[in-house]
Amino acid sequence: DAKTTQPPSMDCAEGRAANLPCNHSTISGNEYVYWYRQIHSQGPQYIIHGLKNNETNEMASLIITEDRKSSTLILPHATLRDTAVYYCIVRATDSWGKFQFGAGTQVVVTP
Amino acid sequence: DAGVIQSPRHEVTEMGQEVTLRCKPISGHNSLFWYRQTMMRGLELLIYFNNNVPIDDSGMPEDRFSAKMPNASFSTLKIQPSEPRDSAVYFCASSLNRGNYGYTFGSGTRLTVV
């Protein structure tokens, strides 16, 4: 599976949109982009995933560039409870379900 | 659904003792994964099962670690003998292996070996 690069940390003001970037320049055609987050002392939580189209659910939106070499996770109205480590993972459809987690981005939402 | 259930939540044991961690996956999920998380190494995949069969155990650190899945609703991760460097949070996760579903993780077991 392709590697991903994320900034180690970022801050966001409560109520504002949080835009989390992820670079995956070596992504292959059969690889999806997944996002998870891990709130302190909890297990990771699935957020969203996509192949090439933009996706939206009740938690977030995922914007994937046309060349698929990068993506952005958008939390539209960040709350203090969104403070967490966010992981961007690229996984092929035939990878038997394995997710390899990197270091992620520590997001701190401030009042 | 109660989600993925792990027990115990916390375990403190002495070096050399056997430790058994338990996991009940979500009903209907046919893939199960064991991860370990430390500050130094982050989240590491130890082993995963598909339809109760171990598929890849290349992440298991050494022979002291073993995992079983006797049926679709139960899995164990055993460490024998335990060592202080095994101290970590151990997570279990489950998913459907068809399609591109994400995992559902349990709350983890915090293991401290003294």
Side-chain angles (χ1 to χ4, degrees), chain A residues 17-91:
Chain A
N19 297 292
L20 283 62
C22 179
N23 182 285
H24 32 79
S25 58
T26 60
I27 193 170
S28 300
N30 68 338
E31 291 180 320
Y32 282 71
V33 180
Y34 286 79
W35 284 83
Y36 283 78
R37 74 179 182 182
Q38 187 174 22
I39 296 170
H40 184 61
S41 297
Q42 298 182 20
Q45 177 188 24
Y46 164 80
I47 300 173
I48 198 168
H49 75 280
L51 183 63
K52 53 184 177 181
N53 297 322
N54 298 337
E55 303 287 345
T56 295
N57 62 21
E58 66 280 1
M59 291 182 67
S61 295
L62 174 60
I63 308 298
I64 303 174
T65 58
E66 192 169 338
D67 64 8
R68 303 210 321 124
K69 293 184 177 182
S70 66
S71 61
T72 301
L73 180 75
I74 301 173
L75 308 177
H77 304 286
T79 71
L80 299 179
R81 288 174 294 183
D82 292 322
T83 293
V85 177
Y86 286 77
Y87 299 97
C88 170
I89 305 167
V90 169
R91 191 197 75 170

Side-chain angles (χ1 to χ4, degrees), chain A residues 32 34 36 38 41-44 46 49 87 91 93 95-101, chain B residues 9 33 35 37 43 45 48 50 55-56 91 97 99-103 105-107:
Chain A
Y32 282 71
Y34 286 79
Y36 283 78
Q38 187 174 22
S41 297
Q42 298 182 20
Y46 164 80
H49 75 280
Y87 299 97
R91 191 197 75 170
T93 56
S95 290
W96 281 97
K98 286 191 297 184
F99 284 104
Q100 303 285 4
F101 289 79
Chain B
R9 284 300 310 274
F33 309 84
Y35 282 83
Q37 186 171 34
L43 270 163
L45 178 63
Y48 71 93
N50 186 51
I55 301 299
D56 185 350
F91 289 104
N97 78 328
N100 294 296
Y101 299 97
Y103 296 178
F105 280 79
S107 299

Side-chain angles (χ1 to χ4, degrees), chain B residues 3 9 11 13 22 38 44 49 59 75-76 79 81-82 91 93 102 109:
Chain B
R9 284 300 310 274
E11 177 80 32
T13 190
R22 297 172 176 79
T38 61
E44 301 174 278
F49 296 82
S75 177
T76 59
I79 307 172
S82 58
F91 289 104
T109 294

